Structures are given as structure tokens and as C-alpha cells.
Amino acid sequence: MSRTIQVGIIGFGLSGRYFHAPFLTVNPHFKITKVVERHRNEAEAFDPTIQTVRSHEALLADPAIDLIIVSSPNDTHFAYAKAALEAGKHVLIEKPFANTSAQARELLELARQKGLVAIPYQNRRYDADFLTIQQLLREDQLGDIVEYECRYDRFRPDVANSWKEQDTDGGGNLYNLGSHLVDQAVALFGLPESVSGDVRIIRKGGVLDDYFDVRLFYPDKRVILKSSMLTIDSSLRYIIHGTKGSFIKHGLDIQEETQRKNILPNTPDWGAEPESQYGMLTTPEGRFTFPSQPGNYHHFYDNLYRAIIGEKPQEVTPEQAIAVIRIIELANESSQAKKVLEFR
């Protein structure tokens, strides 16, 4: 049965303003009713029908709200999500889902007990490049994968004065960008046998990690996940080698860039990449440009709605949510111990 999910958002920064609000606004199954902002009124400027409240307690006290989106700094994710679940609300949590695997298990067990959805916001599963890679694998264009490398680089030589680069509780690049890369690998290949990590600070004045090289070991393949904040040419995204072919992809999905232009995601050809960003497929028959699938974050919210009403299971499963945090923990432990660790 169709219904409208009443939504409250904690925080209206980059994520709330440019990732969640536009998609919820054009989706008839959702209605943003209240947003927590401590001092500003950005949500009301985006949509005057949204009410601003100044605390998460005021948000959770509203019995009409069905879904809470936790879009606040990482050190608050667990506390806010737990409070929302205890108040009987479904929760969508910005990555990372939690700062420890123990916290992730606690949240998911609480959600299970209460019959609620608790899910991390893994929108990068619906990027153009990742959807294209899934197509290649479905069509067996690459054969059996033997090596998969994904990079998410940036060039930010100056350390920012923000919680992402200063707060030791959930900050750092591995928790930030690494959450996406690990989730994509788990979605494609399942749980690894073991994990290694090289997690470092490479910028002068850095407080938290700004470089990582994480390796996931499977019986038949190696998965390499890398990110650096000192990469001037940051266009390379994927290098995949299989028994039938190789695929190389440059360029970041265009949806975030489009949303920053205040374009709502209900325009024609949403998420369609320019041909200049198409990947290159190489097989024994030759080298070919392979058209990208359009990126589409709508799929995430459509699945979330169906999970809330009990029509479909959530695509980002509880087991995957825990595995992502556990792999990040093991990568950090491996980096400190300088050895490969069994996934457990």
C-alpha cells in the first residue's frame, strides 16, 4: 500500500542539502517535515514548508515522523541513530554507519528487535561507473575477475579545519571515502578472507589519515582500494582485469556536481555521463569505448521506501553494513601491526 514517509533530517550541510533533500523532494513517497539546524535556517531556504528545530530531541519527539536521516558529524552517528531507533523511527545514517563494528551490531540488533530499518547511505553503489561495472560483470564481459582496483583521490594539500580532518572519533579519509570503496567491493565480491592496510598521514600538519591502500584477499582475486589527498591528477577510478578482458575508467560520477548547481534530480537524462568519461574495455578482439550506465541515486531511495513498507529487503544489507566497518577496523589494525589480518 502506498504511503508517504514523513522525514526528519539531523544536519543540513553538504549531505543533507545536496544528496538527501533534492531526491526526497522529487520522490512522491517521502516528505521532509523537519530539519535540525543548530544556528542556521538553510532547510527553510531550500523549501519553506520545512520546519527548523534546534535539537534532535525535538525531532524525535514528533510522533508523525517515520524516518530519521542522521547527516551530522561522524562522532554523533551512533548516539543519534540509537536514540531514533529507541523512539520507534527508521534510520538512514550517513557513512560511516558507525565508528566501530560493535556499535554497528548494536544498532542493527536494536532495529531488528523493533522491526525497523537501519541502513547506511551508500549512494556510490548507484554511481554511473559502478552501475557500469555491474553491467560488465552480469554480461560476463571480463570473465573471472583476478584483480580489481578502485581509487578515490583528491588534491587538497592544505589540511582543512573541519571535523573530517580533525576529529579522531570517526574522522579521517578511510572512514570518509574508504567507506564507499569498501562497500562497493563487498557488494561485488562478498566478504574477504583477509585484509591488509597501509593507512598514513602524508600532508604536513595532518592530524588524521589522508592516505590509504587497503587490500582485500579472496581465494581467486585481489581487491585494491586506494585514496590520497595529494593526487593532482585524480581522474583514475577503476582498473579491473579478468580472464576475458580489462576495464579502465576515469572520471567521477556527475550527480554531485549537478546537484551543487541547484538542479533537482527530475531532469531528463539525469546522471548520464558525457562520452569523454566512458570507460575503455580491452579484450582479445580489440579496444573499445564502453558506454556508461546513467548514475541514479533514485534507486537508493526507492529501495529504502520499499524496505520501510515491508515490500522488499534493503539492498545494503545489515551484514554488509557491519562488514564495511569491520574491514576498516582491520585495515587500521593491519597498518599498525604491518601484517595481513584474517577477516573475522
Side-chain angles (χ1 to χ4, degrees), residues 33-60:
T33 58
K34 292 181 179 179
V35 169
V36 177
E37 294 185 78
R38 298 296 184 188
H39 307 290
R40 298 183 298 176
N41 298 285
E42 300 294 330
E44 290 182 15
F46 172 79
D47 180 353
T49 69
I50 297 173
Q51 180 183 347
T52 301
V53 295
R54 299 305 184 190
S55 71
H56 73 280
E57 291 90 352
L59 196 66
L60 299 183

Side-chain angles (χ1 to χ4, degrees), residues 138-306:
R138 281 195 310 271
E139 296 175 355
D140 197 32
Q141 299 264 15
L142 303 177
D144 297 329
I145 304 303
V146 295
E147 184 177 88
Y148 167 99
E149 178 176 349
C150 178
R151 302 190 63 102
Y152 197 158
D153 295 316
R154 288 173 171 167
F155 184 64
R156 295 182 179 174
D158 297 322
V159 177
N161 185 25
S162 73
W163 61 265
K164 288 185 179 181
E165 299 196 31
Q166 303 288 337
D167 189 347
T168 56
D169 188 5
N173 199 29
L174 182 55
Y175 269 105
N176 183 26
L177 300 183
S179 294
H180 289 309
L181 305 194
V182 174
D183 176 73
Q184 288 183 342
V186 169
L188 287 179
F189 306 119
L191 305 182
E193 290 185 331
S194 54
V195 177
S196 73
D198 177 13
V199 185
R200 292 184 280 141
I201 299 171
I202 59 174
R203 293 176 298 174
K204 292 181 179 179
V207 177
L208 302 178
D209 62 276
D210 51 17
Y211 170 94
F212 63 80
D213 181 338
V214 175
R215 310 280 169 130
L216 307 184
F217 296 84
Y218 295 82
D220 58 347
K221 67 179 66 68
R222 295 292 180 267
V223 169
I224 304 162
L225 311 173
K226 301 182 73 172
S227 178
S228 168
M229 301 293 263
L230 281 180
T231 304
I232 295 179
D233 182 352
S234 58
S235 64
L236 180 60
R237 293 284 285 129
Y238 295 90
I239 303 173
I240 307 173
H241 299 298
T243 55
K244 291 184 179 179
S246 296
F247 182 69
I248 298 177
K249 177 74 171 64
H250 291 77
L252 188 63
D253 181 274
I254 66 170
Q255 292 179 88
E256 178 179 349
E257 177 187 351
T258 306
Q259 287 158 229
R260 285 174 179 264
K261 298 175 182 177
N262 294 323
I263 299 173
L264 286 176
N266 57 357
T267 56
D269 300 321
W270 176 261
E273 289 192 326
E275 291 186 17
S276 60
Q277 285 191 204
Y278 288 177
M280 192 64 64
L281 174 64
T282 304
T283 71
E285 287 73 42
R287 197 174 184 207
F288 314 94
T289 299
F290 195 85
S292 297
Q293 290 287 311
N296 195 341
Y297 299 157
H298 288 292
H299 293 323
F300 179 90
Y301 298 95
D302 289 341
N303 174 254
L304 174 60
Y305 171 74
R306 286 170 172 77

